[in-house]
């Protein structure tokens, strides 16, 4: 024993023991997560990849590895307005929607809150940042979500319709309509820069949340229509935008959007 102590081997053995304990604990946690994942029946996602909130829902499931199956519900074909969909899934005939066993969820923000809760059942610590259990942190996420529809989604959707959808469908676009859409899109980006991202790398604080997934999908549509983020966004917003685009599965969930950009004569800034 004195020999071991004199050579400092006691500390070595202690560190080795601690590493083994940590490794064993980690393995146990991972095993529990795998079991929890396997016990979950796949969620049924009713989505259209042309829909920004639909992409956010699919992306969240991919990022958190929530088991799911996709029901490709094409808006252009009116699949969301069939009697069966209206009766069984969403009486408002909107996308996205999620079916978890016999439980059906609609409204995109509610869906993402629900999915965040499901993901936290599997991995409480790792997935907490999406919609935190801490009341104040969660309130920051809710605050952004309440602003999102009118503050960000409205301007970006209008920009997309006026600058891309109407022209490719040969609809008349008024010059003043275009100028107004461009102005409101710039104002939304300015608000991101000066308020939401002023002191934080993400919209609701220091960690990514479901709000970030929703926001970047709206901007992606506007970028397809020609919104030049390099020219229009502030440095903090541009850094956030590039970080979001670098996430796993970004290209996968935007593949339909990229195909649109290839087939249509727009000034896409994707």
């Amino acid at each position: 024993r004195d020999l071991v102590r004199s050579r400092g081997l006691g500390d070595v053995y202690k560190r080795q023991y601690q590493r083994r304990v940590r490794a064993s604990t980690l393995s146990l946690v991972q095993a529990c997560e795998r079991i929890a994942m396997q016990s979950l029946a796949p969620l049924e996602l009713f989505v259209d990849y042309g829909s920004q909130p639909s992409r956010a829902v699919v992306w969240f499931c991919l990022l958190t590895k929530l088991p799911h199956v996709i029901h490709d519900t094409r808006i252009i074909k009116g699949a969301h307005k069939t009697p069966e969909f209206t009766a069984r899934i969403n009486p408002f005939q909107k996308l996205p929607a999620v079916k978890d066993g016999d439980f059906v969820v609609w409204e995109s923000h509610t869906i993402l809150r629900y999915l965040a809760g499901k993901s936290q059942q599997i991995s409480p610590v790792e997935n907490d940042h999406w919609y935190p259990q801490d009341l104040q942190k969660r309130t920051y996420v809710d605050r952004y979500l309440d602003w999102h529809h009118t503050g960000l989604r409205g301007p970006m959707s209008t920009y997309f319709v006026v600058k891309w959808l109407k022209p490719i469908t040969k609809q008349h676009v008024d010059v003043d309509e275009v100028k107004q859409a461009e102005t409101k899109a710039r104002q939304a980006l300015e608000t991101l820069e000066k308020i939401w991202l002023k002191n934080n790398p993400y919209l609701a604080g220091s960690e990514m949340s479901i709000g970030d997934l929703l926001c970047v999908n709206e901007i992606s549509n506007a970028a397809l229509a020609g919104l030049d983020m390099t020219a229009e966004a502030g440095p903090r917003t541009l850094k956030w935008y590039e970080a979001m685009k670098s996430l796993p599965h970004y290209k996968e969930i935007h593949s339909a959007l990229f195909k649109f950009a290839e087939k249509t004569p727009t000034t896409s800034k994707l």
Side-chain angles (χ1 to χ4, degrees), residues 49-212:
Y49 282 96
S51 155
Q52 303 93 303
S54 287
R55 293 197 303 267
V57 166
V58 176
W59 199 7
F60 181 87
C61 289
L62 291 170
L63 288 170
T64 58
K65 298 181 174 61
L66 277 174
H68 63 278
V69 294
I70 300 291
H71 293 283
D72 193 3
T73 312
R74 299 293 180 89
I75 293 174
I76 196 170
K77 293 182 178 180
H80 60 308
K81 293 187 176 182
T82 63
E84 182 181 9
F85 185 89
T86 305
R88 291 181 57 250
I89 306 302
N90 189 348
F92 291 110
Q93 302 180 330
K94 301 290 185 181
L95 296 175
V98 170
K99 193 168 183 285
D100 184 9
D102 295 328
F103 186 67
V104 179
V105 192
W106 25 269
E107 292 298 328
S108 56
H109 294 184
T110 301
I111 290 171
L112 283 166
R113 290 185 181 107
Y114 181 77
L115 295 179
K118 295 285 287 187
S119 72
Q120 288 164 9
Q121 291 176 357
I122 298 170
S123 185
V125 176
E126 183 179 356
N127 291 324
D128 183 72
H129 65 93
W130 294 111
Y131 193 62
Q133 293 298 306
D134 179 271
L135 180 59
Q136 292 184 358
K137 290 182 179 180
R138 187 165 72 242
T139 298
Y140 287 148
V141 179
D142 285 330
R143 182 172 62 180
Y144 173 77
L145 296 179
D146 287 345
W147 177 82
H148 173 82
H149 272 303
T150 55
L152 194 286
R153 177 167 167 75
M156 294 301 165
S157 294
T158 300
Y159 187 99
F160 174 74
V161 169
V162 171
K163 298 276 288 185
W164 188 83
L165 190 59
K166 281 189 174 182
I168 70 165
T169 54
K170 310 300 182 184
Q171 297 180 56
H172 173 71
V173 181
D174 186 84
V175 175
D176 290 337
E177 187 180 12
V178 172
K179 289 182 179 179
Q180 186 176 17
E182 291 174 341
T183 298
K184 288 187 177 298
R186 290 193 197 98
Q187 289 173 344
L189 291 178
E190 186 176 358
T191 303
L192 290 182
E193 181 74 12
K194 293 185 176 181
I195 297 178
W196 297 108
L197 296 169
K198 180 180 179 180
N199 299 312
N200 301 296
Y202 296 102
L203 298 172
S206 60
E207 294 183 290
M208 192 182 304
S209 74
I210 55 177
D212 295 283

Side-chain angles (χ1 to χ4, degrees), residues 216-234:
V216 76
N217 272 284
E218 299 296 338
I219 293 175
S220 295
N221 269 40
L224 168 68
L227 181 64
D228 188 348
M229 288 292 288
T230 304
E232 302 293 351

Side-chain angles (χ1 to χ4, degrees), residues 9-26:
L9 294 180
D11 290 338
V12 174
Y13 293 149
K14 182 179 179 180
R15 287 195 294 271
Q16 289 178 344
Y17 173 76
Q18 290 173 336
R19 282 197 294 269
R20 290 194 187 104
V21 170
R22 284 195 294 268
S24 299
T25 303
L26 181 60

